Amino acid sequence: MAPADSCLDVGPVRCAWAPYRRGEPAEPAARAWLAAQLAVPEDALALWRDAHGRPHLGPAHAGLDANWSHSGERLLVALAHGAHVGADIEWLRPRPNAMTLARRFFTPAEAAQLAQLPHDGAEAWFVRLWCAKEAVLKAHGRGIAFGLERLEFTPDGEGWRLHRCDPELGAPGDWRLHAFAPAPGYLATLAWRPR
């Protein structure tokens, strides 16, 4: 990973973000950052993917979890101690189909909440909601294939709060989320729950 733009520690999670070249695999850069955090040589870092494509650290790092995301020209990598972590970063660009996607993939209540907002506001809230949902689903281990409609958020201040979710995800109160702007024009969300 190129030198990180910055790092953030929140709860049991440490994350970093850095420039990313579109079209290149993100895993080598994520692996480099994780190896540095764990003080092991890159080639000695045991990292494998399960049947759903979720990355896992090897047995030498039991109790730790890693996840990463890339969008536009930024990469976000997260490492959690004693928690399952999901990370999502989104490039803030025009999304003219935001409401079509919301009606198709979000819960009816979420789509209705977005539909009540002015167009510009709805796009920004759509990205925040997408980012929150994807971070939780990545921490869970199945990603968006599990179903974006299987968890429901409600507006909470400047962000979203997990209100209801499929029992496979645990209880809404098990989850912690942290949304932030890692760079101009980007939004990121970390989601974690205790192991």
Side-chain angles (χ1 to χ4, degrees), residues 10-69:
V10 57
V13 180
R14 166 164 268 212
C15 71
W17 50 95
Y20 165 77
R21 184 171 294 160
R22 279 191 254 182
E24 290 188 358
E27 186 169 320
R31 175 183 288 277
W33 184 80
L34 291 167
Q37 293 300 302
L38 298 170
V40 298
E42 273 184 62
D43 59 354
L45 180 66
L47 190 64
W48 59 277
R49 290 182 180 264
D50 64 23
H52 302 290
R54 189 188 196 288
H56 296 273
L57 295 166
H61 302 291
L64 301 177
D65 192 36
N67 203 251
W68 58 84
S69 175

Side-chain angles (χ1 to χ4, degrees), residues 132-156:
K133 284 179 172 266
E134 189 161 356
V136 169
L137 293 173
K138 288 175 73 177
H140 170 62
R142 297 280 304 278
I144 61 174
F146 185 71
L148 292 166
E149 77 288 352
R150 292 174 76 175
L151 61 166
E152 184 173 274
F153 285 79
T154 56
D156 184 25

Side-chain angles (χ1 to χ4, degrees), residues 61-162:
H61 302 291
L64 301 177
D65 192 36
N67 203 251
W68 58 84
S69 175
H70 58 85
S71 181
E73 296 178 347
R74 287 287 181 265
L75 170 66
L76 173 69
V77 184
L79 178 65
H81 296 266
H84 294 283
V85 67
D88 190 46
I89 188 168
E90 295 293 334
W91 174 34
L92 300 175
R93 56 182 168 70
R95 286 176 165 82
N97 296 325
M99 285 310 303
T100 302
L101 292 171
R103 283 188 290 273
R104 182 171 178 199
F105 295 110
F106 294 170
T107 68
E110 291 165 338
Q113 290 166 346
L114 289 170
Q116 294 174 9
L117 299 170
H119 179 72
D120 290 346
E123 279 190 18
W125 279 89
F126 169 86
V127 173
R128 287 179 176 191
L129 181 54
W130 185 281
C131 217
K133 284 179 172 266
E134 189 161 356
V136 169
L137 293 173
K138 288 175 73 177
H140 170 62
R142 297 280 304 278
I144 61 174
F146 185 71
L148 292 166
E149 77 288 352
R150 292 174 76 175
L151 61 166
E152 184 173 274
F153 285 79
T154 56
D156 184 25
E158 294 296 312
W160 294 93
R161 179 179 51 84
L162 186 56

Side-chain angles (χ1 to χ4, degrees), residues 5-16:
D5 284 350
S6 198
C7 289
L8 173 70
D9 292 312
V10 57
V13 180
R14 166 164 268 212
C15 71

